Amino acid sequence: MSRNRASLRVTAAVTGSLALAAGLTACGGSTTAAESEGGGEKIVTVYSADGLKSEKGDGWYDKVFAEFTKKTGIQVKYVEGGSGEMVQRAVREKTNTQADVIVTLPPFIQQADGKGLLQAYKPQGSDKVNGVDKAADGKWTSIVNNYFGFIHNKKELAEAPRTWEELLDSKYKGKLQYSTPGVAGDGTAVLVKAMHDFGGKEPALEYLKKLQANNVGPSSSTSKLAPKTDKGELLVANGDVQMNFAQSKSIPNLGIWFPAKDGGKPTSFALPYAAGLVDKAPHTENGKKLLDFMLGEEAQKLVSEVGGGFPARTDVKPTDANAVELTKLMAGVEIFEPDWADIDKNLASYVDAWKSATGS
């Protein structure tokens, strides 16, 4: 909810523009305590999972960051990668912190907290976010809600598969791919959903072992699977509703669907983009301002219209065309709530078991 590793991109929001200028490096060097507390430097650095920024410069991040810069004069330096990758990078930099804000998907936001990467801060508007979508101690809060899903090529596969079991058919051999659990948030979500749908770790791994016969192989980037699916290189891949819905506006062969276990209902679970203020951030005050801005009503109203996602604030109820379409898309899908505490605690062992079962 990527999570998946796109090649790292670093960009900066430019005052008065909706486009982000590419090619800047992540904020480097140390900052004095006075600058950190007072936000003396007009910079804020964001480490984020991919999906909210558009290659064309018209994504939610693009517009929100540009408006933030216009109103505050603070430039946003942006680094993008997989959910797990962003956390690992921040861990490596703990002795010389570079990021001010980190945005990633469960269970990696919990992992970031567990590794001591986050400091408590409850942004303005976070009181309007559901309790399950934020940490009680203020270490993180969702800024964009989202759901896990799969995609298919609508041209080659006019009707989406319905069940997990259908994906074992030989017609999907070399035409199916999912991103890597433990590296990509959406890849980890494949494992989470399979464990739920099949009733536990062992039956899920037994299924995924069989599915490996059709799987193209590991992918650290979920976002890169959509163009492959659109071109017909893949028939089916994993993804998430927000990212894939936004991508479908420019790659028309993309369809979103939700696998069911044979005899069951299609299921999904919330996979929100969750943001936290980085501990010992070089620009703490600027990080707070950006978090406040992203949870503000103005930014939240753009979540569906621009980003193709769901507002994190319960008091923001969009009625734009995208919001209507997204509501229809989720109709009939059974939403379950994973045990994120268990997944956070046991993620390494679950991923190791997946590697062993699939030979990955």
Side-chain angles (χ1 to χ4, degrees):
M1 103 181 119
S2 149
R3 298 69 58 156
N4 359 98
R5 175 177 181 168
S7 57
L8 288 183
R9 289 183 290 151
V10 186
T11 56
V14 181
T15 303
S17 170
L18 294 184
L20 295 182
L24 298 180
T25 57
C27 177
S30 59
T31 304
T32 66
E35 286 176 323
S36 177
E37 290 305 314
E41 248 190 319
K42 292 290 190 177
I43 293 168
V44 62
T45 299
V46 178
Y47 282 10
S48 179
D50 63 311
L52 293 175
K53 187 182 184 304
S54 168
E55 295 286 350
K56 295 182 178 181
D58 58 357
W60 188 72
Y61 270 162
D62 300 278
K63 296 199 173 185
V64 170
F65 289 170
E67 188 61 25
F68 174 73
T69 299
K70 181 179 179 180
K71 290 190 174 182
T72 66
I74 299 169
Q75 287 195 333
V76 180
K77 292 188 175 181
Y78 177 74
V79 182
E80 179 180 283
S83 282
E85 179 185 14
M86 290 293 89
V87 173
Q88 291 162 13
R89 178 167 176 161
V91 169
R92 292 195 301 268
E93 296 171 350
K94 280 187 79 171
T95 57
N96 182 26
T97 307
Q98 303 294 303
D100 301 300
V101 171
I102 189 166
V103 182
T104 188
L105 308 186
F108 297 100
I109 193 66
Q110 290 90 345
Q111 186 182 87
D113 186 17
K115 292 181 180 296
L117 293 176
L118 306 178
Q119 59 174 301
Y121 178 66
K122 296 182 179 180
Q124 296 174 24
S126 61
D127 59 317
K128 304 297 185 183
V129 176
N130 277 326
V132 295
D133 296 325
K134 61 186 177 184
D137 61 1
K139 292 291 186 66
W140 57 267
T141 184
S142 299
I143 55 171
V144 171
N145 277 342
N146 191 16
Y147 295 93
F148 177 64
F150 273 64
I151 52 175
H152 70 105
N153 179 295
K154 294 194 295 186
K155 184 177 179 182
E156 301 293 332
L157 206 63
E159 189 172 329
R162 199 187 68 80
T163 68
W164 287 102
E165 288 81 1
E166 285 180 56
L167 299 181
L168 299 176
D169 192 287
S170 60
K171 75 176 181 181
Y172 294 106
K173 186 173 180 63
K175 291 285 189 177
L176 176 149
Q177 191 172 18
Y178 63 91
S179 51
T180 307
V183 176
D186 288 329
T188 305
V190 172
L191 188 54
V192 171
K193 178 171 158 59
M195 288 170 60
H196 171 270
D197 289 0
F198 286 93
K201 183 181 78 170
E202 296 308 323
L205 293 176
E206 183 180 342
Y207 168 80
L208 292 172
K209 181 178 181 178
K210 295 176 184 176
L211 186 65
Q212 197 66 11
N214 289 344
N215 189 14
V216 170
S219 172
S220 58
S221 171
T222 309
S223 63
K224 290 184 177 179
L225 300 183
K228 289 183 179 181
T229 305
D230 179 67
K231 293 174 185 175
E233 294 175 27
L234 299 173
L235 290 176
V236 170
N238 70 311
D240 63 71
V241 173
Q242 178 278 323
M243 179 175 66
N244 295 142
F245 186 85
Q247 289 172 318
S248 70
K249 298 302 181 181
S250 58
I251 45 180
N253 292 325
L254 217 59
I256 300 172
W257 65 290
F258 306 90
K261 188 178 182 303
D262 193 22
K265 294 181 179 180
T267 68
S268 184
F269 60 95
L271 205 58
Y273 292 87
L277 186 65
V278 177
D279 188 43
K280 298 181 179 64
H283 311 98
T284 295
E285 293 306 312
N286 294 347
K288 290 178 179 179
K289 290 176 183 177
L290 180 60
L291 288 169
D292 290 346
F293 193 82
M294 290 192 293
L295 264 184
E297 286 189 53
E298 183 180 344
Q300 288 290 298
K301 286 176 181 176
L302 294 176
V303 168
S304 58
E305 181 182 349
V306 174
F310 306 82
R313 288 179 54 151
T314 58
D315 61 331
V316 175
K317 302 184 185 299
T319 57
D320 58 90
N322 283 352
V324 173
E325 195 172 341
L326 286 163
T327 299
K328 290 180 180 177
L329 178 66
M330 299 305 299
V333 179
E334 186 177 276
I335 306 299
F336 66 91
E337 186 177 329
D339 184 346
W340 290 117
D342 170 76
I343 294 165
D344 179 39
K345 180 181 178 181
N346 297 300
L347 180 61
S349 65
Y350 291 156
V351 171
D352 286 344
W354 169 82
K355 289 178 180 178
S356 178
T358 60
S360 300

